[in-house]
Each structure stands twice: as C-alpha cells, then as structure tokens.
Amino acid sequence: MSEKIKIAVIGTGWWATQAHIPALLANPQTEVVLIDRNAEKLNHAARSFAIDRAYTDLPSALAAHPDLCGAVVAVSHKAHYEVAREVLEHGLHLLLEKPMVLYARDAKALVELAQQKHLHILIGYVYPYLDAVRAAKQFVDDGLLGDIEYVTCTMSSMTIEFLRGRPQAYQSVFNYPVTGPTESTYSSPELAGGGQGHLQISHLASLMFHLAGSLRPKTVSAFMDKLDCAVDVVDAFAVRMENGALVTVGSTGNLGQGDGGIVEVHLHGSKGRLLVEAISGHITLRLHDGVEKRIEPAFPGYPSEAPTQHFVDIIRTGANNLLPGATVGLYTVELLDAAYRSAAQEGQPVQVSSLYA
C-alpha cells in the first residue's frame, strides 16, 4: 500500500494529544480524523493540531471519510468496550489503549468480533518496542529458558496524584501539551474502573505475557490497598498459570516526583532465568549451564509513539501484530478482572474460568 491511509483518533484527552495524534501527524503516510462526543474538547484538539477533519461520532466521520482504515481508541477505561465494539462493527482495524477493557467477557467478545471480521486489535502497550525487550523476547522464543516455572513481576511508579484526582500536580513533569487528565480520569471508579491495577499493572502484566507466550492465568489471589484514594494504589497478586507456573505480581503508585520507578519481570525456567528491567533497559540471562548474557542499562526512554506507528505499519504493510488483543490483551484483562474480584473478597482465590460463567 503506497497511498496515505486515514486513521481516526477517538477521544481527544491527554494520551491522545500527548502521543497518538502527534505520532500520526509525524507519519507522512497517514491523515488524521478526530472524533470526540465532547465538542469543546474536540474543537480544542482540532485547533491545537490544525486538523479540519473533526466529528462528534464515528458514523458522521465515516460518512465524510468512507476510506477510513482504522481507529485509535483513547477514551476513559469504562468506555473502552462500547467504543471499541463500534469501531470493529464498522469494519475498522483497532488500536485500543490499555487496559483493553475492564472485564474478561468484554475482551473475549471483542476478540471474537475482530476474528469474524478479519480485523486487527493492537493494544497500546509500549515496553515491548524497546530494543532490549526485543532481545529478551528472542531469548525466550529461542527456548533458552526451557519451560517457564516461576515469575516475579514488580512495578513502582509515580501515579499517586493521578489516583488522588490531582493531575495538575504533575504538570511540570508531563508538560501536558494540549490537555491533561481530568480530576476523575484515573481517580473515579465510575470512569477508571480500578486504580494502579488498570493504570500500571496492565503495563507490567502485558510485558510478562508478551515475553512468555506460554503463560495464561488460571487462578488469582489478590490484595489491594487504596491508601487515601478511592481506587487501589498498592497491589499484590499470587497467580497460578494454566501451564502450572507460579507468578507474583506487585505494584505501588506511591512514588515521589523525580523517581523513575521500576518495571521488572524476572522469568525462571527449567534451563535458566531472565531478568528484564524495562525502565533502564537492563537485561540479564543466566542459564543453568553457566552461560550468561547481559545488556547493560541504557535508559532508552518511553517510546510513546511506537504503538501508533506500529498500528500504521500493520495496516499499510501487513506487519506482525506484536501485542494482539487475542493473547496479550485478553490475558492481561483476565488477570486484572480476577484480581479485582479476589481483592473484593479479601484475597479469596478466583478461577479465571469463573469470569465466563
């Protein structure tokens, strides 16, 4: 495909204006169509980026641009399923921001709909695009670790003010170029679902599932602490995977400004172990036979534009979908859905199969 393609961006809030729209405008192979049911936000974004293709609903956008190929959905977490389903029903490829959706049933329904219509669902996770993570995945794909038996995952991040409903506290950190999150974007259960789990563990868990394709959650036991927020800030999960592997997942959003935190997945297999730290890019492979390989820390930065560019490549050139909804997306939703249900029952184990009962 040599001609330009048209991509809709649905939702003109913080992450759309910080990452998706700039990435599409920087790509000479794309034209951008904006959609937001909030006319004030829509017009503000359209003026900010000098885009004259702006609509308050998808049918209106399609009527004006029947050649739309795909859509980026970056709306509130609770609205993901409804908007994503509409995109697929209209025959468009889908880049869906994390955490895909809030419930496993909805994730499975989107996957089945996309398969019926032969459409892609790409989930907007970023860490797999880092060179060090690509190298780490190749170690696993080459079978160097053998069978995955045990995994520890940990993530600490600076999200506490988002979860408190005070995003303005991070203005100097993120320099919101057009608009920042609203006070309720990440702090209100009615919009966000959960807190640190949906906002950050979604990144961590998706990285684990991306690296180790043999893993899918079977049983989850979880505890969460809200601290002074209406949503979870500190989380600890114990998980049994379908292949028998045991996994721990932990995270806190209570870091101070200037603390870059950590995103670490440590895979232990029958032949060795692999430590992946995404923030620094530090990778260590140590096999039982003594072979060791290392990638030294390089702090590569956050590739916020990578999912959007990859989405364009999938549509234009048929590039391989690195983070498909059918696996990485669905399994992450299953883990989080089960974890929130378990935490609501003081850590009682939840069978993932029960999410579909």
Side-chain angles (χ1 to χ4, degrees):
M1 183 181 294
S2 58
E3 68 276 9
K4 287 187 176 183
I5 61 172
K6 286 182 181 176
I7 303 292
V9 177
I10 304 178
T12 55
W14 173 39
W15 203 241
T17 55
Q18 179 100 23
H20 296 300
I21 297 172
L24 289 170
L25 290 175
N27 190 325
Q29 303 297 332
T30 62
E31 294 182 356
V32 184
V33 175
L34 299 182
I35 302 173
D36 198 312
R37 65 183 181 183
N38 184 317
E40 183 178 354
K41 286 176 58 181
L42 174 68
N43 292 332
H44 180 49
R47 288 193 303 270
S48 298
F49 293 105
I51 296 173
D52 59 6
R53 298 174 292 273
Y55 307 87
T56 54
D57 58 71
L58 180 57
S60 296
L62 280 166
H65 306 281
D67 53 345
L68 273 172
C69 294
V72 178
V73 171
V75 296
S76 63
H77 294 169
K78 276 285 182 76
H80 276 202
Y81 173 68
E82 178 184 351
V83 177
R85 186 170 188 87
E86 183 183 29
V87 166
L88 294 173
E89 286 175 340
H90 281 88
L92 303 179
H93 296 293
L94 172 64
L95 168 52
L96 182 54
E97 258 305 328
K98 56 85 183 170
M100 189 176 182
V101 291
L102 301 183
Y103 306 110
R105 277 181 173 271
D106 291 344
K108 186 171 182 287
L110 291 180
V111 167
E112 291 174 347
L113 179 58
Q115 290 172 342
Q116 291 168 11
K117 291 182 169 288
H118 306 289
L119 296 169
H120 282 286
I121 302 178
L122 172 68
I123 310 301
Y125 296 113
V126 297
Y127 294 117
Y129 298 97
L130 297 172
D131 288 342
V133 174
R134 290 179 188 269
K137 180 166 175 55
Q138 193 61 55
F139 292 150
V140 180
D141 291 347
D142 288 344
L144 298 184
L145 296 184
D147 297 327
I148 303 299
E149 301 168 341
Y150 170 62
V151 187
T152 59
C153 302
T154 184
M155 182 173 189
S156 54
S157 57
M158 182 198 70
T159 58
I160 185 66
E161 299 300 345
F162 285 148
L163 303 177
R164 286 173 173 152
R166 301 199 299 231
Q168 69 277 5
Y170 293 146
Q171 172 67 46
S172 61
V173 178
F174 295 108
N175 301 312
Y176 309 126
V178 177
T179 184
T182 69
E183 292 181 354
S184 56
T185 298
Y186 300 119
S187 65
S188 168
E190 287 71 31
L191 287 181
Q196 186 73 0
H198 286 134
L199 181 59
Q200 297 286 269
I201 291 180
S202 51
H203 280 294
L204 179 66
S206 68
L207 179 58
M208 171 182 65
F209 291 125
H210 172 69
L211 289 169
S214 63
L215 300 180
R216 184 175 186 176
K218 180 180 180 181
T219 308
V220 182
S221 179
F223 293 93
M224 299 180 179
D225 195 327
K226 296 179 180 179
L227 300 185
D228 60 346
C229 300
V231 292
D232 53 294
V233 180
V234 183
D235 303 75
F237 309 165
V239 187
R240 182 182 293 279
M241 296 290 172
E242 286 190 351
N243 71 341
L246 301 181
V247 175
T248 62
V249 180
S251 184
T252 177
N254 194 15
L255 295 187
Q257 291 195 31
D259 190 335
I262 190 170
V263 178
E264 182 179 282
V265 175
H266 201 167
L267 302 167
H268 297 257
S270 57
K271 297 180 180 179
R273 65 182 179 90
L274 175 65
L275 175 64
V276 179
E277 206 293 291
I279 300 295
S280 69
H282 174 217
I283 310 294
T284 298
L285 174 73
R286 171 74 181 184
L287 303 182
H288 296 340
D289 61 9
V291 171
E292 184 168 328
K293 298 181 181 181
R294 296 174 62 87
I295 298 175
E296 296 301 325
F299 295 92
Y302 194 77
S304 59
E305 77 293 340
T308 320
Q309 300 292 13
H310 184 50
F311 184 53
V312 173
D313 290 341
I314 289 172
I315 296 173
R316 290 193 66 255
T317 69
N320 181 49
N321 187 342
L322 290 180
L323 295 161
T327 54
V328 173
L330 175 62
Y331 302 166
T332 301
V333 174
E334 289 178 337
L335 175 67
L336 289 168
D337 190 354
Y340 277 103
R341 295 185 191 212
S342 173
Q345 303 173 61
E346 284 298 310
Q348 287 295 313
V350 170
Q351 302 295 320
V352 168
S353 60
S354 72
L355 305 178
Y356 301 105

